[in-house]
């Protein structure tokens, strides 16, 4: 199995037809069919189910498609970095980052870094924290920008300062008379909208204050929390910077006074793995 065969297989998986894949690859259909057959024989598994007009990936085919995509992305990234090196350019730094609130911080750090290392290029991979850590573990990115809480086992980490969580709500939900802060206990019996990653942190903090939170909606993005709160469906709990980034003037925000209900952004990288000089310089700049 080589890179060329993986490219052929990915074309077949993406097109769903060998004829269309051959056209995309600018090659004849019989040689492509033969390459697929050779790949199946080499691996000892059936990768596709052939139908009259299309093909369907088997479970083995789905596994190979996912792995092939990662391998080809890493190959392309390495090729570009080496070409940049030959041209005398400093190189390409691959970074994984969570969306929303960490984006502003990353933008600031990248701008500062770019002022010093103007020849550096960037590849940014976005996703949730679990996705970024997975990319990091597989070597697709060198540095991840994630938000606590996360499992730091096997990672080196540099943390930013802590920031509070805030309650966001439509005006009709405001029981405070315009106060900018609330106590965690004031959320008792309120319908809460929370980002799934913060569920354990929020539940544990509420239980410490003697109540079990009434979770109305659990979701996978702080932006979804804001949208539901804006619609008047409940009270969202998000990091303060996520609200600043959204710039949503229709939603009220109240800082939650709680020592334990805080979160931090961190730059992370794998322990005991090679780290390029570019990544090292970026981390040094991030620490500042």
């Amino acid at each position: 199995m080589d890179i060329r065969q993986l490219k052929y297989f990915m074309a077949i998986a993406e097109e769903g037809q060998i004829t269309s894949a051959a056209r995309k690859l600018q090659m004849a259909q019989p040689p492509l069919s033969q390459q697929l057959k050779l790949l199946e024989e080499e691996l000892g598994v059936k990768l596709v189910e052939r139908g009259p007009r299309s093909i369907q990936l088997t479970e083995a085919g789905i596994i190979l498609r996912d792995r092939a995509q990662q391998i080809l992305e890493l190959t392309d990234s390495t090729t570009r970095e080496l070409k940049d090196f030959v041209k005398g350019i400093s190189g390409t730094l691959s970074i994984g980052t969570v969306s929303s609130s960490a984006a502003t911080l990353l933008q600031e750090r990248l701008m500062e870094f770019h002022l010093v290392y103007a020849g550096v290029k960037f590849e940014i991979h976005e996703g949730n924290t679990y996705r970024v850590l997975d990319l990091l573990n597989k070597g697709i990115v060198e540095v991840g920008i994630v938000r606590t809480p996360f499992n730091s086992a096997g990672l080196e980490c540099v943390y930013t300062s802590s920031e509070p969580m805030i309650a966001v709500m439509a005006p009709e939900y405001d029981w405070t008379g315009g106060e900018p802060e609330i106590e965690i206990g004031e959320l008792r019996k309120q319908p809460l909208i929370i980002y799934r990653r913060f569920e354990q942190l929020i539940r544990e903090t509420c239980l410490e204050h003697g109540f079990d939170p009434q979770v109305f909606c659990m979701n996978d993005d702080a932006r979804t929390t804001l949208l539901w709160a804006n619609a008047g469906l409940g009270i969202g709990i998000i990091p303060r910077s996520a609200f600043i980034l959204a710039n949503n003037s229709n939603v009220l925000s109240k800082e939650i006074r709680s020592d334990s209900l805080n979160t931090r952004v961190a730059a992370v990288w794998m322990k005991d793995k090679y780290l390029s000089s570019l990544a090292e310089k970026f981390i040094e700049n991030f620490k500042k």
Side-chain angles (χ1 to χ4, degrees):
M1 180 172 60
D2 56 30
I3 297 298
R4 178 176 54 90
Q5 287 178 309
L6 291 180
K7 288 181 177 178
Y8 289 167
F9 178 73
M10 282 300 296
I12 294 170
E14 289 169 357
E15 295 296 317
Q17 285 185 331
I18 294 179
T19 302
S20 299
R23 190 180 304 117
K24 179 179 181 180
L25 294 165
Q26 297 182 332
M27 64 186 295
Q29 179 180 337
L32 183 57
S33 296
Q34 180 64 18
Q35 287 296 324
L36 177 59
K37 181 180 178 182
L38 290 173
L39 185 58
E40 288 181 321
E41 290 176 352
E42 178 183 349
L43 296 175
V45 292
K46 195 171 185 178
L47 298 172
V48 302
E49 294 287 353
R50 293 164 176 79
R53 295 186 178 180
S54 64
I55 61 99
Q56 296 291 329
L57 296 182
T58 62
E59 289 187 20
I62 292 172
I63 292 173
L64 180 61
R65 179 199 62 192
D66 294 343
R67 295 293 182 266
Q69 184 175 10
Q70 295 162 6
I71 291 168
L72 292 175
E73 286 177 353
L74 186 57
T75 301
D76 289 343
S77 175
T78 303
T79 300
R80 286 192 293 272
E81 188 169 354
L82 290 174
K83 285 181 178 178
D84 288 344
F85 178 79
V86 171
K87 292 175 183 176
I89 301 172
S90 298
T92 302
L93 178 61
S94 295
I95 299 174
T97 177
V98 294
S99 56
S100 66
S101 52
T104 301
L105 176 66
L106 178 61
Q107 183 181 24
E108 293 172 356
R109 294 295 196 271
L110 288 179
M111 289 177 65
E112 294 166 1
F113 186 76
H114 180 64
L115 289 175
V116 181
Y117 303 100
V120 176
K121 295 180 180 179
F122 298 92
E123 284 190 4
I124 305 298
H125 298 256
E126 293 183 302
N128 60 29
T129 294
Y130 306 113
R131 167 69 172 160
V132 171
L133 294 180
D134 184 54
L135 291 172
L136 197 65
N137 185 56
K138 290 171 179 172
I140 295 174
V141 301
E142 280 198 276
V143 181
I145 307 298
V146 295
R147 180 178 287 282
T148 61
F150 60 87
N151 184 359
S152 61
L155 299 174
E156 298 283 0
C157 309
V158 175
Y159 296 94
T160 63
S161 56
S162 179
E163 69 171 289
M165 304 287 275
I166 62 172
V168 292
M169 65 197 76
E172 58 265 28
Y173 264 104
D174 186 10
W175 67 90
T176 69
E179 290 295 321
E181 297 182 352
I182 61 172
E183 300 290 345
I184 185 70
E186 294 180 61
L187 296 176
R188 186 192 303 264
K189 297 183 180 180
Q190 295 286 0
L192 302 183
I193 305 165
I194 64 176
Y195 179 16
R196 183 171 280 103
R197 284 202 57 251
F198 298 129
E199 178 188 6
Q200 183 176 353
L201 176 63
I202 292 169
R203 285 193 183 279
E204 288 177 352
T205 303
C206 291
L207 289 172
E208 287 173 4
H209 289 78
F211 71 98
D212 192 15
Q214 304 292 315
V215 178
F216 171 67
C217 172
M218 189 91 65
N219 61 71
D220 290 313
D221 197 310
R223 291 167 294 190
T224 302
T225 299
L226 272 168
L227 286 171
W228 279 56
N230 186 49
L233 297 172
I235 296 173
I237 300 179
I238 58 174
R240 181 172 59 189
S241 56
F243 181 74
I244 294 171
L245 183 64
N247 193 25
N248 193 328
S249 59
N250 297 321
V251 177
L252 303 176
S253 67
K254 313 284 182 181
E255 183 174 319
I256 304 171
R257 289 192 292 264
S258 171
D259 292 335
S260 56
L261 199 60
N262 289 284
T263 179
R264 294 189 289 174
V265 173
V268 298
W269 63 100
M270 298 300 297
K271 283 183 180 178
D272 304 322
K273 275 195 177 183
Y274 170 76
L275 199 64
S276 71
S277 58
L278 281 181
E280 289 178 348
K281 288 180 173 62
F282 178 81
I283 291 166
E284 288 174 10
N285 184 77
F286 192 91
K287 290 178 181 178
K288 298 176 184 178

